[in-house]
Amino acid sequence: MCPLLILMHSNLCDPAGRGPLRTVPAERTVPLWSVIARLPLPPGRSTQPGVAGPFAGVSGDALIVAGGSNFPDKKPWEGGRKAYVDEVYVLMARTDGVGGDGAGA
């Protein structure tokens, strides 16, 4: 399965107005990455190639990732054909605020 990576800027505030989501020292220049969930397998596939260029956003407590494209069978330089994705993935926030519950389309 393909990891779902989220990069959060240290100055973002949570929607409930409780202040910064994370405090990071000003001298830190390397982004902090964290895998919070993995995309589920697409219907009829045994691997998850991920998606490029999806529409993504947050609505309430849900992260929504929709559409995009990938090369599911071969890499483009190996003659792979681009496929457009019509799946919608929804990741609900956990109550402890740490990550997601793995919910998928």
Side-chain angles (χ1 to χ4, degrees):
M1 293 182 132
C2 183
L4 176 64
L5 298 174
I6 305 298
L7 174 64
M8 301 202 71
H9 190 274
S10 63
N11 291 331
L12 292 176
C13 292
D14 77 21
R18 294 179 294 230
L21 292 174
R22 179 176 197 140
T23 302
V24 177
E27 64 274 3
R28 181 177 294 277
T29 58
V30 177
L32 299 174
W33 292 92
S34 177
V35 175
I36 60 171
R38 297 190 180 275
L39 293 175
L41 292 175
R45 304 282 310 175
S46 60
T47 61
Q48 171 52 272
V51 293
F55 288 97
V58 174
S59 178
D61 288 337
L63 170 64
I64 302 168
V65 178
S69 63
N70 58 34
F71 293 83
D73 299 315
K74 293 185 196 175
K75 305 291 184 209
W77 54 89
E78 296 170 343
R81 297 188 64 141
K82 182 185 260 187
Y84 292 92
V85 177
D86 62 359
E87 284 91 18
V88 176
Y89 302 100
V90 178
L91 180 68
M92 298 302 297
R94 291 191 335 206
T95 57
D96 62 8
V98 175
D101 64 3

